[in-house]
């Protein structure tokens, strides 16, 4: 799948495929949650995603690929990063980003139930 064909429906399908994920509208946009904790949103007219990301990693991502990743001003103090859907390589990259964010929000018990989601795929 070419990156320019990734859509909000791809995000929705990939996010909802993760265990115990729910979708809820908040701040007039779709948000995705596990165990009540938000791990992804579809802001900017659903042309990007916002996901959890440790600040150190987030800063490295933005420096390495500023056309793909950025930090929204109002999220700078939080461990979140934005990614432009049209800049993602493919559906696998989208799934990896969402799974990484899901792992950060999921409770330990859920991570234990789904060990295959507990660690990123090897490069």
């Amino acid at each position: 799948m070419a990156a320019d064909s990734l859509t909000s429906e791809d995000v929705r399908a990939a996010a909802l495929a993760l265990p115990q994920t729910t979708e809820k509208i908040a701040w007039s946009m779709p948000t995705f949650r596990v165990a009540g904790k938000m791990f992804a949103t579809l802001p900017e007219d659903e042309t990007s995603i916002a996901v959890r990301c440790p600040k150190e990693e987030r800063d490295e991502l933005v420096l390495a690929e500023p056309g793909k990743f950025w930090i929204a001003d109002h999220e700078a103090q939080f461990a979140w990063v934005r990614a432009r859907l049209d800049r993602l390589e493919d559906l696998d990259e989208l799934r990896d980003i969402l799974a990484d964010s899901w792992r950060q929000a999921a409770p330990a018990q859920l991570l234990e139930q789904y060990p295959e989601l507990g660690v990123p795929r090897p490069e």
Side-chain angles (χ1 to χ4, degrees):
M1 172 176 289
D4 60 3
S5 63
L6 290 175
T7 67
S8 60
E9 287 308 311
D10 295 319
V11 173
R12 184 170 281 108
L16 292 173
L18 293 164
Q20 297 186 27
T21 294
T22 59
E23 181 176 350
K24 178 181 178 182
I25 299 296
W27 306 288
S28 300
M29 72 179 112
T31 66
F32 301 91
R33 300 160 190 258
V34 59
K37 290 180 73 175
M38 190 166 41
F39 71 90
T41 68
L42 270 167
E44 272 82 51
D45 298 324
E46 300 186 1
T47 61
S48 70
I49 55 173
V51 293
R52 291 174 175 263
C53 185
K55 287 184 180 181
E56 306 78 37
E57 291 177 30
R58 173 188 78 174
D59 294 343
E60 290 175 17
L61 282 173
V62 171
L63 284 172
E65 299 184 81
K68 184 185 292 188
F69 299 103
W70 85 99
I71 302 165
D73 290 342
H74 67 280
E75 294 170 346
Q77 66 192 23
F78 304 106
W80 284 76
V81 69
R82 304 271 178 114
R84 291 172 179 86
L85 293 179
D86 65 353
R87 298 293 181 97
L88 298 181
E89 292 175 25
D90 54 24
L91 192 53
D92 285 339
E93 184 178 22
L94 172 63
R95 287 180 182 136
D96 287 346
I97 289 169
L98 289 168
D100 186 54
S101 187
W102 180 90
R103 282 191 293 275
Q104 293 173 61
Q109 180 182 26
L110 194 55
L111 292 174
E112 290 170 11
Q113 289 178 313
Y114 297 92
E116 72 278 10
L117 292 173
V119 292
R121 279 189 246 164
E123 294 294 323

